[in-house]
Amino acid sequence: DAGITQSPRHKVTETGTPVTLRCHQTENHRYMYWYRQDPGHGLRLIHYSYGVKDTDKGEVSDGYSVSRSKTEDFLLTLESATSSQTSVYFCAISLNRLEGETQYFGPGTRLLVL
Amino acid sequence: TQLLEQSPQFLSIQEGENLTVYCNSSSVFSSLQWYRQEPGEGPVLLVTVVTGGEVKKLKRLTFQFGDARKDSSLHITAAQPGDTGLYLCAGARSGAGSYQLTFGKGTKLSVIP
């Protein structure tokens, strides 16, 4: 258990509204990631962070922004939600290990955009 | 671009049977991870393999990393209903100060009692 929580766990919203998802970790890990998981596409990286205020884009970053003002929190914002952003969103952290980069995942947030 | 191809996508077998899931790529990875995911939950790490040719065993699960570090396999012996789930492979590549994982689309395994 890497001490990762996500909130909310479920959300229904309407097209055009802003949505913020929160990822919280308790173990001071440097690297944090946001993924979305969709049928037929698997897990795809949206954004990641390698420190406070240090973030970078992933494979599917359009329509998303992130912020990390504290080590423990990584926020994902959909500025104006669209139906194509209906998905399950996972936060992950990584541990610095000699055996490669292993990531640990939170429980996920199910987002439905109507 | 799908860098990691997993096969098969779906697998339904009887309890006690053996099975193998494959993860293939044309890219070289510094390491490869296998995860299992159950409905409504996040992926849970099973194993990380780092060295080409490496074999790791986790009870009835055997993981192998290809010699060229481009492919991997997961073999389950005498499958149990508790093995049911989505199995994901993920390859790690370094860049921009952090490793990034590229995931396969997964193999959905159903083990029928």
Side-chain angles (χ1 to χ4, degrees), chain A residues 20-85:
Chain A
T20 295
L21 308 183
R22 180 184 184 234
C23 177
H24 179 78
Q25 56 138 332
T26 59
E27 299 185 13
N28 210 35
H29 297 295
R30 179 180 174 190
Y31 300 110
M32 299 183 76
Y33 307 81
W34 275 108
Y35 291 88
R36 60 179 291 175
Q37 186 174 35
D38 305 286
H41 290 279
L43 278 157
R44 293 179 293 174
L45 181 66
I46 305 171
H47 282 279
Y48 65 99
S49 171
Y50 45 97
V52 173
K53 298 185 179 179
D54 290 324
T55 65
D56 206 347
K57 296 179 179 179
E59 177 188 357
V60 290
S61 60
D62 288 348
Y64 301 95
S65 62
V66 290
S67 66
R68 192 166 179 203
S69 58
K70 304 185 286 185
T71 299
E72 57 266 35
D73 289 324
F74 192 29
L75 304 180
L76 177 70
T77 298
L78 291 65
E79 300 291 347
S80 178
T82 66
S83 58
S84 65
Q85 293 175 312

Side-chain angles (χ1 to χ4, degrees), chain A residues 9 31 33 35 37 40-43 45 48 50 56 90 99-107 110, chain B residues 31 33 35 37 40-43 45 48 50 56 86 88 92 95-101 103 105:
Chain A
R9 292 294 314 278
Y31 300 110
Y33 307 81
Y35 291 88
Q37 186 174 35
H41 290 279
L43 278 157
L45 181 66
Y48 65 99
Y50 45 97
D56 206 347
F90 288 100
E99 57 183 35
E101 193 56 25
T102 298
Q103 294 184 13
Y104 294 86
F105 288 81
R110 288 186 173 273
Chain B
S31 67
Q33 285 79 25
Y35 294 83
Q37 184 178 21
E41 299 181 7
L45 178 71
T48 299
V50 180
K56 280 192 174 179
L86 178 68
L88 299 163
S98 173
Y99 286 92
Q100 296 187 37
L101 292 185
F103 281 84
K105 293 183 179 180

Side-chain angles (χ1 to χ4, degrees), chain B residues 1-7 22-25 89 103-105:
Chain B
T1 303
Q2 178 63 29
L3 295 180
L4 270 174
E5 297 284 346
Q6 266 188 258
S7 61
Y22 299 93
C23 182
N24 295 300
S25 176
C89 65
F103 281 84
K105 293 183 179 180

Side-chain angles (χ1 to χ4, degrees), chain B residues 1 11 13 18-19 26 30 45-46 57 62 66 68 73-74 82 90-91 97 104:
Chain B
T1 303
L11 192 54
I13 62 172
N18 301 331
L19 67 114
S26 57
S30 57
L45 178 71
L46 296 174
K57 292 191 175 183
T62 302
S73 63
L74 158 61

